Amino acid sequence: MPTFYGTEIASRMMLGTAQYPSPKVLADAFRRSGAGVATVSLRREASGGGNAGQQFWSLIQDLDVAILPNTAGCHSVREAVTTAQMARELFDTRWIKLEVIGHADTLQPDPFGLVEAARILTDEGFQVFPYCTEDLVLCDRLLEAGCEVLMPWGAPIGTGLGLNNIYGLRSLRAHFPDVPLVVDAGLGLPSQAAHAMELGYDAVLLNTAVAKAGDPAAMAEAFAGAVAAGAAGHAADPMPPRDMAAPSTPVLGKAFLE
């Protein structure tokens, strides 16, 4: 199982807590997914007044999983840092999923702001999980800033497009073999999660694909099975692809007719 900042997680699946049709559906989805981490937005927790926020927080605590607050929706370094500081006070954790959005349409991270915010938060004692692209230079700068985990996107948030840049994700895994890597955002189908794990990634994080499914709990269970299968496939050292056919049945000893 993956280890993040010295903490071993019980599952390779991380699940978001937004957009579910009801609290019961959210709880059922987590139960059937076996997810080891729940991401929580400070804005989501505080929405609807104090009583609604407290009810939501009680629900999250009842899930009995690790909590990863995030800075979702932040578009500047200052906003992200302030949100992270508030989240630490509220959730009593040093973990923070850092988002600094640079493009309103694609929700692509701002690479410059992301590195700056990561450095500030690391210096303040945070354990940063940066939502980033698969760019090798950016990821190297994030590691230099003190991050010990990288969370590259598969595709833009909420699109369900899967792994848009397999070459880039594979290269990232090869360049940083000892860094925990989590595919975060863009997964829409269990098969896409399995593919991420087959590439050697340590975990996946998703939200919309489960929360917006016709049956969120069933979809969560499907993703859990796919993640487990993909991880097992990678661990089994799969055969490399070939351009030419190769017979699976040996020809040695085969009968020939004249």
Side-chain angles (χ1 to χ4, degrees):
M1 289 297 121
T3 298
F4 303 135
Y5 291 102
T7 299
E8 186 176 13
I9 305 303
S11 169
R12 296 185 183 277
M13 185 167 166
M14 305 163 72
L15 197 55
T17 56
Q19 306 185 73
Y20 291 86
S22 72
K24 182 183 183 303
V25 171
L26 187 158
D28 287 346
F30 266 85
R31 176 178 54 81
R32 290 177 64 175
S33 73
V37 175
T39 60
V40 181
S41 168
L42 182 64
R43 290 171 170 81
R44 170 65 180 87
E45 196 282 332
S47 66
N51 186 51
Q54 185 58 47
Q55 289 177 349
F56 177 74
W57 178 222
S58 296
L59 171 64
I60 297 304
Q61 289 177 306
D62 289 343
L63 296 177
D64 194 27
V65 297
I67 304 300
L68 177 60
N70 66 35
T71 63
C74 292
H75 290 258
S76 70
V77 172
R78 181 177 180 180
E79 186 182 12
V81 169
T82 300
T83 301
Q85 293 166 339
M86 295 170 64
R88 178 165 60 180
E89 293 286 334
L90 181 61
F91 298 109
D92 191 27
T93 178
R94 296 167 61 197
W95 281 13
I96 190 72
K97 179 190 170 188
L98 178 61
E99 296 184 26
V100 183
I101 301 302
H103 193 277
D105 292 331
T106 65
L107 302 181
Q108 179 169 328
D110 172 359
F112 309 103
L114 188 62
V115 172
E116 182 182 349
R119 184 173 291 109
I120 293 171
L121 292 173
T122 298
D123 289 345
E124 292 186 6
F126 283 89
Q127 295 175 331
V128 179
F129 295 67
Y131 163 64
C132 58
T133 65
E134 70 280 8
D135 183 270
L136 289 174
V137 177
L138 168 60
C139 289
D140 192 51
R141 296 295 184 271
L142 288 168
L143 295 174
E144 290 176 357
C147 298
E148 297 181 14
V149 178
L150 297 171
M151 303 182 74
W153 65 354
I157 295 172
T159 62
L161 292 173
L163 307 182
N164 274 357
N165 185 358
I166 295 173
Y167 169 80
L169 292 170
R170 185 183 290 116
S171 296
L172 195 64
R173 178 73 283 175
H175 278 76
F176 303 114
D178 300 321
V179 176
L181 299 179
V182 180
V183 169
D184 174 16
L187 299 179
L189 294 170
S191 58
Q192 296 164 353
H195 195 180
M197 302 309 299
E198 289 167 352
L199 293 177
Y201 276 68
D202 297 279
V204 297
L205 195 163
L206 57 142
N207 189 165
T208 308
V210 169
K212 291 297 187 181
D215 186 339
M219 184 61 77
E221 186 173 359
F223 265 98
V227 168
H234 176 74
D237 191 16
M239 62 170 282
R242 317 170 37 106
D243 291 331
M244 298 295 293
S248 57
T249 302
V251 296
L252 185 64
K254 180 180 178 181
F256 290 91
L257 300 177
E258 295 183 359

